[in-house]
Amino acid sequence: MFGASANDAPGTSSSASTSTTASSARADAPVMPHNFVDLSPAEQAAVLREHLHYHAHRYYVLDDPQLPDAEYDRLFQALQAIEAAHPELRTPDSPTQRVLGQVLEGLTPVRHAVPMLSIRTETDTESSGAEAFDARIRRELGLPPEPTPEAPPVEYAAELKFDGLAINLRYEHGHLKQAATRGDGETGEDVTHNVHTIRQIPLHLKGLTAPVLEVRGEIYMRRDDFDKLNEAQRERGEKTFVNPRNTAAGAVRQLDARITAQRPLRFFAYGLGEVQGWDIPPTHSVMLDALAEMGLPVSTDRTVALGATGEQGLVAFHQRIGQARDSLPFDIDGVVYKVNSRALQERLGFVSREPRWAVAHKYPAQEQLTQVEGIDVQVGRTGKLTPVARLKPVFVGGVTVTNATLHNLFELRRKGVRVGDTVIVRRAGDVIPEVVGVVPTGAAGQGGARQPYVPNFRMPTHCPVCNSDVVRERGEMDHRCSGGLFCPAQRKQALLHFAQRRAMDIEGLGEKLVDQLVDSGIVRTLPELYKLGLAKLAALDRMAEKSAQNIVDALEQSKVKATLPRFLFGLGIRHVGETTAKDLAKHFGRMGCEDDGRTGGIMDASLDQLLAVRDVGPVVAQSIRTFFDQAHNRDVVELLYAAGVRWPTHDPSAEADAATLPLFGKTLVLTGTLPTLSRDEAKDMIEAAGGKVAGSVSKKTHYVIAGAEAGSKLEKAQSLGVTVLDEDGLRALLAAGQS
């Protein structure tokens, strides 16, 4: 009964160029009060309702969304939580009580015989979102948390969450009599005249004589058809469209069917509305097969999943579709899971406006539109100069983005980005936001902000931070500052990189403190960190004596907690990440500055010796050699060692073969808080012993290392019979391999 529709939650889609720019925002857009957390529950609920009503109107009625789905969902869930805690605040017109939307003026209202309600959105975009849904279904069905022979996995229908316009097709005795939009869920708009122009939608269903069969699905536009449509628009000198979803929705809701007929619209069926005189199959998947036999298009990207995990589970489906998402011919913003059995659906029923038996599991929105307000140059910790687009704020991938990389001068020129352009910004996962391309002037009202003449961006000849010469090596695409450690920009980044958790883990040494230390001239090089005393730190702005003492303590702890891989990674050598640092440390065993009477080490390794390290190629080897050929870099390492920074070393000739390591081939999972080891320290110890640290527990897990406040991972380990150890048990495992 409920389809996999992007209309299930009023936000933006994941497709390219989906949002409106800030310049097109309505003047009456509500603003979140800065003191929202201090408001009473009633006041918070009122603010949230105002925001949700506004953005739903932008999405459903104007087809002009301003928020991504994830942000709308966050506001919606916040309102749900308040109303659950304070039922007296729940109002009849609350977004949690009814589906939002409105009939467009000029189209005839249609009252839905069966409301087109929405389904719950799972905003956890990781695999754990599927596991949470399965766990909730099993709990509500009274089943044990893990499947057993007596309580096997629940069977689900898993399908795509299409990004188009939800539609209800009413067939009477097999003939299409009416097509209506979702509207507010209770009342939609009659768009029969437009739907008749969509060739994929049959006017007569094969073999159906039932008095009434309402089929629900999604009208959408393929990406290649959208691109061809825009190309034709450009050739005619007319405005181009923003994205496939809005183009499809706008075409369906035209008053003139001749306009709709010119749009390459398509359709997928995924559910039912009112049914009279037709025996509905016992499962959702068989029902879709039956619709396909009648001549209705049904997506083949669907499956019957058994539980959450396993090769045929929801997690596997979510991951497979996520990997194939970019290669699909149409846009999706997630997948949908439904309990397959209609009998179980009826048993589970509904909660408020949503069925308990279905959920939309989203992927992060990846691309949005915004405008370039300027192009700055950022100097990185290695001296690389990167042109960065300064943007009007935009939601991408669940966060507000104000800057996006243009990579280098050559990439910027290739894309033709200039100040004032409307651009597509992409942020996938934790990848740094980047400008994908420029939207042609006039595209769906987005362009046109660029001035008549805007000169090409040019890379500066001198570093914007230290005024040192900017150079570009032969064969390199990047421009770099030649100031090295003399450049404050590189100095700050070098300090932050050195102090980060995955390097020396100097807690409290964050960006604001580093800014003060560098700007005041107190710290100019890495070794000077270890000369900081309580008096110097306490004299800084907003630095209390206790905070200063914490920094001093953290610096002292970093000396004794250092490992060679972390120290090497912390130096910020170009091309040397965590994995390469571990490989170098394992291969050489020492830095070369240690006063242990031995010679050799990473600092003195030749190119040939470096190339003998696993996964170290000519570029990385040359980068390492170049770094240590600079006298000031060797001085930094030696001064740090002289300051008391120490790391365990080993003789390369005595390095154990991988297969002899105590945890070789073993998979371990960490959960809870260990008494003396941080999560990263425990992980380093396990990896050094040849083991692998996984993020979730499965039958392939060998050990679970559990500390205080261990949660669901411990419970799952116990249910699967996986060996559970504490910190002492872990140390015993490691010690056994050294005896």
Side-chain angles (χ1 to χ4, degrees):
M1 292 172 61
F2 295 88
S5 167
N7 289 334
D8 289 338
T12 59
S13 74
S14 62
S15 61
S17 53
T18 290
S19 74
T20 352
T21 60
S23 61
S24 66
R26 284 173 47 172
D28 60 344
V31 177
M32 186 66 70
H34 68 278
N35 63 335
F36 177 81
V37 294
D38 298 322
L39 298 178
S40 68
E43 292 170 327
Q44 289 182 346
V47 169
L48 291 171
R49 280 195 291 268
E50 180 187 17
H51 278 72
L52 292 168
H53 279 301
Y54 171 80
H55 289 293
H57 177 83
R58 299 287 297 185
Y59 185 91
Y60 289 122
V61 180
L62 303 181
D63 293 323
D64 192 17
Q66 290 181 345
L67 286 184
D69 288 354
E71 179 61 15
Y72 182 93
D73 293 338
R74 186 185 69 80
L75 296 176
F76 187 91
Q77 289 160 6
L79 180 58
Q80 277 185 318
I82 292 174
E83 292 180 346
H86 304 278
E88 71 277 9
L89 299 180
R90 192 177 291 125
T91 62
D93 65 342
S94 172
T96 64
Q97 302 304 300
R98 61 190 296 270
V99 182
L100 298 178
Q102 186 174 324
V103 175
L104 189 67
E105 185 177 356
L107 296 177
T108 303
V110 174
R111 184 79 174 177
H112 295 302
V114 175
M116 293 183 71
L117 302 181
S118 65
I119 58 177
R120 179 181 180 275
T121 297
E122 175 56 68
T123 55
D124 177 357
T125 58
E126 300 299 324
S127 299
S128 51
E131 294 172 342
F133 173 65
D134 179 50
R136 186 169 63 253
I137 292 297
R138 293 189 67 85
R139 185 168 58 251
E140 293 183 356
L141 289 175
L143 301 175
E146 296 295 332
T148 66
E150 295 75 24
V154 177
E155 186 176 87
Y156 299 102
E159 56 197 49
L160 305 184
K161 185 176 185 297
F162 307 111
D163 202 7
L165 181 74
I167 203 79
N168 184 80
L169 306 177
R170 185 179 179 87
Y171 288 89
E172 295 181 2
H173 302 285
H175 295 277
L176 179 62
K177 291 298 183 181
Q178 188 180 69
T181 62
R182 180 171 176 265
D184 66 358
E186 298 286 345
T187 302
E189 305 152 337
D190 190 329
V191 290
T192 310
H193 61 303
N194 291 329
V195 168
H196 276 171
T197 70
I198 303 175
R199 298 185 179 226
Q200 268 200 323
I201 296 179
L203 300 181
H204 179 75
L205 298 182
K206 294 184 294 185
L208 182 72
T209 59
V212 175
L213 177 65
E214 289 188 345
V215 178
R216 288 174 176 174
E218 197 87 359
I219 292 176
Y220 70 98
M221 187 178 292
R222 288 171 54 109
R223 294 191 193 117
D224 55 355
D225 288 335
F226 174 75
D227 292 339
K228 291 175 185 177
L229 176 63
N230 265 347
E231 182 61 31
Q233 292 290 106
R234 282 189 285 268
E235 290 178 358
R236 290 193 293 266
E238 299 177 5
K239 72 173 184 178
T240 53
F241 299 97
V242 178
N243 60 70
R245 187 267 164 193
N246 285 6
T247 307
V252 171
R253 303 171 73 201
Q254 290 287 333
L255 296 177
D256 187 349
R258 290 173 297 181
I259 297 177
T260 308
Q262 296 171 6
R263 304 287 185 260
L265 301 177
R266 297 170 185 260
F267 172 78
F268 275 133
Y270 53 59
L272 300 175
E274 183 183 16
V275 177
Q276 297 179 20
W278 185 62
D279 292 332
I280 304 176
T283 65
H284 179 79
S285 57
V286 174
M287 180 271 292
L288 291 180
D289 292 338
L291 294 182
E293 291 175 2
M294 295 178 192
L296 287 156
V298 177
S299 173
T300 57
D301 286 306
R302 55 189 173 92
T303 190
V304 172
L306 298 175
T309 57
E311 294 182 0
Q312 296 180 331
L314 298 179
V315 170
F317 181 77
H318 183 261
Q319 293 175 342
R320 177 173 67 82
I321 297 300
Q323 292 168 357
R325 180 183 181 188
D326 291 339
S327 62
L328 291 173
F330 45 79
D331 289 333
I332 65 170
D333 60 356
V335 293
V336 173
Y337 312 134
K338 303 172 183 175
V339 173
N340 201 25
S341 165
R342 289 186 61 247
L344 289 182
Q345 289 181 10
E346 293 175 0
R347 178 177 162 188
L348 288 162
F350 296 78
V351 53
S352 185
R353 64 196 286 276
E354 303 165 344
R356 286 191 173 92
W357 43 265
V359 73
H361 191 185
K362 293 197 173 183
Y363 298 113
Q366 295 176 315
E367 295 183 350
Q368 301 285 18
L369 286 186
T370 190
Q371 189 178 10
V372 177
E373 295 184 326
I375 299 177
D376 302 324
V377 174
Q378 185 179 79
V379 183
R381 63 181 176 83
T382 62
K384 174 185 173 181
L385 272 64
T386 301
V388 175
R390 191 171 67 253
L391 308 169
K392 287 187 175 179
V394 63
F395 285 106
V396 186
V399 301
T400 300
V401 171
T402 56
N403 296 286
T405 181
L406 292 161
H407 297 290
N408 54 57
L409 179 64
F410 300 94
E411 185 71 4
L412 184 153
R413 292 277 176 83
R414 184 184 69 81
K415 293 174 180 175
V417 179
R418 301 192 189 188
V419 175
D421 284 346
T422 296
V423 294
I424 301 168
V425 179
R426 179 178 178 85
R427 180 185 182 273
D430 293 327
V431 176
I432 296 172
E434 67 169 335
V435 172
V436 177
V438 176
V439 177
T441 300
Q446 299 291 337
R450 183 198 284 185
Q451 298 298 315
Y453 173 72
V454 178
N456 266 325
F457 170 82
R458 294 183 181 277
M459 191 66 75
T461 58
H462 293 84
C463 174
V465 177
C466 71
N467 205 39
S468 298
D469 290 341
V470 171
V471 298
R472 181 171 66 86
E473 299 174 7
R474 178 176 297 179
E476 287 279 334
M477 301 291 288
D478 297 325
H479 291 72
R480 297 183 180 278
C481 166
S482 61
L485 294 179
F486 300 99
C487 180
Q490 296 178 66
R491 192 179 304 157
K492 290 179 180 179
Q493 292 302 310
L495 289 168
L496 289 169
H497 181 74
F498 185 76
Q500 69 168 287
R501 183 170 57 86
R502 298 298 296 160
M504 295 296 289
D505 192 19
I506 306 174
E507 188 174 353
L509 193 63
E511 188 172 350
K512 291 183 179 179
L513 179 55
V514 166
D515 283 344
Q516 287 195 72
L517 293 172
V518 172
D519 293 343
S520 63
I522 296 175
V523 173
R524 293 177 297 274
T525 65
L526 295 179
E528 289 183 356
L529 281 174
Y530 293 96
K531 295 181 180 180
L532 289 173
L534 184 61
K536 284 185 179 179
L537 286 167
L540 296 173
D541 291 342
R542 295 183 296 277
M543 178 65 73
E545 185 172 335
K546 183 177 180 180
S547 299
Q549 185 62 55
N550 289 339
I551 298 295
V552 172
D553 293 343
L555 285 165
E556 288 301 313
Q557 290 173 13
S558 72
K559 291 181 183 180
V560 298
K561 290 167 58 178
T563 64
L564 184 53
R566 285 172 172 268
F567 178 80
L568 186 59
F569 171 62
L571 293 177
I573 305 171
R574 192 177 174 209
H575 303 306
V576 176
E578 293 179 64
T579 300
T580 301
K582 290 177 181 178
D583 290 339
L584 288 165
K586 183 179 291 186
H587 185 87
F588 290 101
R590 56 200 312 275
M591 199 75 211
C593 64
E594 298 86 350
D595 53 1
D596 54 7
R598 290 181 290 178
T599 60
I602 298 170
M603 289 202 304
D604 299 314
S606 66
L607 280 175
D608 288 341
Q609 289 173 322
L610 290 168
L611 288 170
V613 180
R614 184 183 68 175
D615 293 335
V616 171
V619 173
V620 178
Q622 184 60 61
S623 178
I624 297 169
R625 192 63 265 145
T626 300
F627 181 88
F628 287 114
D629 282 342
Q630 310 304 309
H632 63 264
N633 290 333
R634 298 179 68 91
D635 289 343
V636 166
V637 174
E638 291 170 355
L639 287 170
L640 286 169
Y641 190 83
V645 179
R646 294 291 185 272
W647 48 83
T649 63
H650 66 263
D651 188 339
S653 63
E655 183 178 355
D657 182 80
T660 67
L661 294 173
L663 296 181
F664 176 74
K666 305 294 185 183
T667 299
L668 292 83
V669 173
L670 298 168
T671 182
T673 303
L674 300 178
T676 67
L677 294 175
S678 69
R679 183 70 59 91
D680 288 334
E681 289 170 338
K683 181 178 179 182
D684 287 342
M685 293 170 66
I686 291 168
E687 290 177 344
K692 174 187 175 183
V693 177
S696 59
V697 180
S698 70
K699 293 180 180 179
K700 296 181 180 179
T701 303
H702 294 88
Y703 301 101
V704 168
I705 311 301
E709 299 181 2
S712 59
K713 292 178 182 177
L714 175 59
E715 295 175 1
K716 188 166 185 178
Q718 292 169 336
S719 68
L720 292 176
V722 176
T723 302
V724 178
L725 302 174
D726 57 11
E727 182 181 316
D728 290 340
L730 171 62
R731 292 184 183 278
L733 271 183
L734 299 172
Q738 299 172 357
S739 58

